């Protein structure tokens, strides 16, 4: 029986073409490491409605798992004994059964530390602001959604062993974002650590030598807040799409008139481009080109997109923005936007109340703040290696993957 080196992605969110680059499939394949994607929607349904758009590739095997029994049989298949499982799930109340199964089957899986949901109560936001946001959120939520949030809070306050969930065999640390590792529910004395970077650093490494002409261009990074899985999990959104995008469009027109910027939109990879374009008539909109767009721009407008990491690596001026629609949503957007802005000692501008006072000062690139951000998000001792290379090196050293 032939046993291959494999990385198996576990997901309830359908992969799209940009994920091919995001997870560096090519690097795995170049090292003769087979890639499989196991869709678990049928047994761990988190109500995602995203349609798959990953082009067919003979080198990538996709399995739609229909039952828990099938899932267990595959986990126990000896042909998968040299596999690293890569769950695209955040550890929480909704996903407890998955992590319980992975623990009981004693498989090797990798969990990323430092995601949006791993933030406790950012010190950058006052306790008063934190509780105000939470109260607004609770008042607007439906009871079933509110109960899920309460259950999740209780779940995360207890030790994972209480639910028969063991420590993760492998933890990937994004820069210094795993500094509070002892408090992480999936960390244990036997967890093997891979000290790396935020994933966007990989693409930056591959493209940083590419010379692109920079224009006087302001780029808005659309986050697809109405369809983003990070925001949808366990919650509902009450954002009025028309009002939300009109607010941004009106501001972009003012920005163009006052400061003579060209305007461009970076469409969220999971959002239909045509849907976004209709809100920004006569404005250039591109999809799956975020890094290249940032490289060509000299002002980046964002909420709390992880793509802001590209702008920091490239030392681009950044403006963190919100509007009344975001602030009134059941999801606490402002809380997280403030958290990201404070990392660079910047303020958040409300587009519906903005008069451009302090605009120029706020978009200044302060090298000390940007360099501090980079140190926290990139492992300095291995900054020449991609996250995939770091994972491959670790599993080779541990002899899980044999070459």
């Amino acid at each position: 029986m032939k046993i291959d080196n494999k990385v198996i992605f576990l997901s309830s969110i359908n992969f799209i073409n940009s994920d091919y680059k995001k997870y560096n499939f090519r690097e795995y394949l170049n090292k003769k490491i087979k890639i499989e994607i196991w869709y678990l929607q049928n047994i761990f349904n988190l109500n995602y409605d995203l349609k798959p758009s990953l082009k067919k590739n003979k080198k990538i095997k996709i399995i739609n798992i229909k039952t828990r029994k099938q899932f267990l049989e595959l986990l126990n298949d000896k042909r998968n004994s040299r596999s690293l499982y890569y769950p695209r799930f955040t550890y929480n109340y909704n996903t407890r059964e998955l992590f319980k199964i992975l623990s009981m089957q004693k498989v090797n899986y990798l969990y990323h530390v430092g995601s949006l949901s791993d933030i406790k109560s950012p010190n950058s936001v006052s306790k008063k602001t934190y509780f105000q946001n939470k109260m607004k959120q609770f008042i607007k939520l439906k009871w079933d959604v509110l109960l899920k949030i309460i259950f999740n809070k209780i779940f995360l306050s207890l030790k994972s062993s209480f639910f028969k969930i063991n420590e993760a065999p492998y933890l990937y640390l994004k820069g210094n974002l795993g500094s509070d590792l002892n408090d992480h529910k999936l960390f244990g004395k036997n967890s093997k650590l891979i000290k790396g970077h935020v994933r966007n650093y990989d693409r930056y490494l591959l493209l940083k030598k590419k010379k692109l002409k920079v224009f006087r261009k302001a780029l808005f990074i659309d986050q697809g807040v109405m369809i983003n899985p990070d925001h949808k999990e366990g919650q509902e959104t009450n954002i009025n799409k028309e009002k939300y995008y009109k607010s941004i469009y009106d501001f972009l027109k003012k920005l163009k008139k006052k400061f003579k910027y060209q305007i461009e939109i970076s469409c969220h990879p999971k959002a239909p481009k045509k849907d976004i374009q209709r809100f920004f008539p006569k404005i250039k909109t591109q999809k799956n080109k975020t890094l290249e767009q940032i490289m060509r721009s000299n002002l980046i407008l964002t909420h709390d997109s992880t793509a802001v990491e590209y702008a920091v690596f490239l030392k681009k001026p950044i403006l963190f923005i919100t509007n009344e629609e975001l602030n009134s949503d059941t999801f606490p957007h402002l809380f997280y936007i403030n958290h990201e802005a404070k990392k660079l000692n910047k303020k958040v501008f409300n587009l519906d109340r903005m008069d451009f006072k302090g605009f120029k000062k706020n978009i200044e690139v302060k090298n000390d703040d940007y360099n501090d951000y980079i140190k926290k998000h990139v492992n300095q001792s291995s900054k020449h290696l991609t996250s995939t290379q770091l994972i491959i090196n670790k599993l080779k050293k541990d002899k899980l993957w044999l070459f």
Side-chain angles (χ1 to χ4, degrees), residues 220-225 244-245 265-269 271 276 301 305:
F220 169 61
I221 301 175
D222 177 57
Q223 284 181 227
V225 292
Y244 166 74
Y245 280 115
I265 309 297
S266 175
C267 181
H268 190 276
I276 302 302
L301 309 173
S305 170

Side-chain angles (χ1 to χ4, degrees), residues 5 81-84 108-110 168-172 189-195 389-403:
N5 297 330
S81 60
R82 288 215 304 268
S83 296
L84 176 71
N108 287 296
Y109 73 88
L110 175 73
Y170 287 92
L171 288 174
Y172 184 93
K189 63 180 182 180
N190 296 315
S191 296
K192 297 174 182 178
L193 307 181
I194 302 174
K195 296 181 180 180
Q389 290 168 336
L390 291 169
I391 292 169
I392 292 171
N393 290 347
K394 178 61 176 173
L395 269 67
K396 182 179 179 180
K397 182 179 178 181
D398 291 347
K399 297 183 179 179
L400 176 63
W401 285 342
L402 304 177
F403 294 91

Side-chain angles (χ1 to χ4, degrees), residues 176-215:
N176 291 328
L177 296 181
S179 57
D180 295 328
L181 200 55
N182 288 327
D183 295 327
H184 200 285
K185 300 302 179 182
L186 293 177
F187 171 71
K189 63 180 182 180
N190 296 315
S191 296
K192 297 174 182 178
L193 307 181
I194 302 174
K195 296 181 180 180
H197 336 288
V198 290
R199 193 177 289 114
N200 284 335
Y201 186 71
D202 292 355
R203 288 218 67 219
Y204 165 74
L205 272 181
L206 296 171
L207 291 178
K208 69 176 182 177
K209 294 180 181 178
K210 194 174 182 180
K211 300 297 181 183
L212 295 177
K213 186 176 180 180
V214 178
F215 298 89

Side-chain angles (χ1 to χ4, degrees), residues 156-170:
L156 293 175
S157 70
L158 299 171
K159 289 184 177 181
S160 59
S161 57
F162 182 81
F163 301 96
K164 297 181 181 179
I165 297 171
N166 300 332
E167 60 201 47
Y170 287 92

Side-chain angles (χ1 to χ4, degrees), residues 220 222 224 226 241-242 244-246 248-249 252 263-268 271-288 293:
F220 169 61
D222 177 57
M226 276 67 79
K241 189 185 287 189
E242 304 289 333
Y244 166 74
Y245 280 115
K246 185 179 186 304
I248 296 170
Y249 178 64
L252 293 176
I263 305 297
E264 197 165 304
I265 309 297
S266 175
C267 181
H268 190 276
K273 185 178 174 181
K274 287 183 179 179
D275 192 24
I276 302 302
Q277 280 179 316
R278 75 181 179 88
F279 294 109
F280 300 103
K282 298 181 181 179
I283 294 179
K284 185 177 180 179
T285 302
Q286 289 189 289
K287 187 172 179 177
N288 298 327
Q293 287 178 284

